[in-house]
Amino acid sequence: MKKFIATVAVALLGVAASAQAEVAVIVNQNASASPNQAQVANIFLGKDKSLTGIDQSGWGPVKDKFYTSVTSKNESQLKSYWSSLIFTGKGQPLASVDGDAAVVARVSADPNVIGYVSSSAVTDGVRVLFTIP
């Protein structure tokens, strides 16, 4: 029983640590654009087309931290926002990929793409614009 409790405690600490990880907003190493946080919010809300935002599929801790910090929208608010734009024909949600590695791969391959990942996933092929603690 003690071993089970210890295992559960370690697992919970791991989940808490991953939920507390920093989120990095990234662009291609060769990108000329360096948008600020307000501009990044507009890109990910489809209001600014200067860069192509790449979203993460699903709703995990990284996506939650990014959207609540940068756009001030939680999951249900974001779904409602995009539903309204789709219904009125004024916009479509961003393309999405599965996980940090896929975002890094897309951003490092195209200087016109911007994304967000856990700061631990940042590689040499991308440049960090800012981090969200």
Side-chain angles (χ1 to χ4, degrees):
M1 183 66 173
K2 287 182 183 180
K3 186 175 183 179
F4 173 75
I5 292 172
T7 303
V8 169
V10 168
L12 289 175
L13 286 173
V15 168
S18 68
Q20 298 302 320
E22 286 187 335
V23 173
V25 177
I26 58 171
V27 292
N28 184 285
Q29 194 71 296
N30 300 316
S32 58
S34 293
N36 62 33
Q37 188 166 333
Q39 292 166 320
V40 170
N42 285 334
I43 291 167
F44 279 86
L45 293 175
K47 298 175 183 178
D48 181 341
K49 307 288 187 198
S50 62
L51 289 171
T52 302
I54 188 73
D55 211 352
Q56 294 206 19
S57 58
W59 194 271
V62 171
K63 187 171 184 172
D64 182 61
K65 185 176 280 191
F66 172 78
Y67 276 101
T68 56
S69 298
V70 174
T71 69
S72 300
K73 293 190 183 303
N74 63 28
E75 181 178 12
S76 63
Q77 291 168 326
L78 190 66
K79 285 180 181 179
S80 176
Y81 173 83
W82 283 114
S83 292
S84 174
L85 289 180
I86 292 167
F87 180 74
T88 60
K90 294 181 181 177
Q92 290 293 318
L94 304 175
S96 62
V97 296
D98 290 330
D100 289 344
V103 172
V104 169
R106 288 283 297 270
V107 171
S108 63
D110 188 341
N112 297 312
V113 174
I114 184 171
Y116 59 90
V117 296
S118 174
S119 59
S120 62
V122 172
T123 66
D124 291 340
V126 299
R127 179 169 43 99
V128 176
L129 294 176
F130 59 89
T131 58
I132 304 162

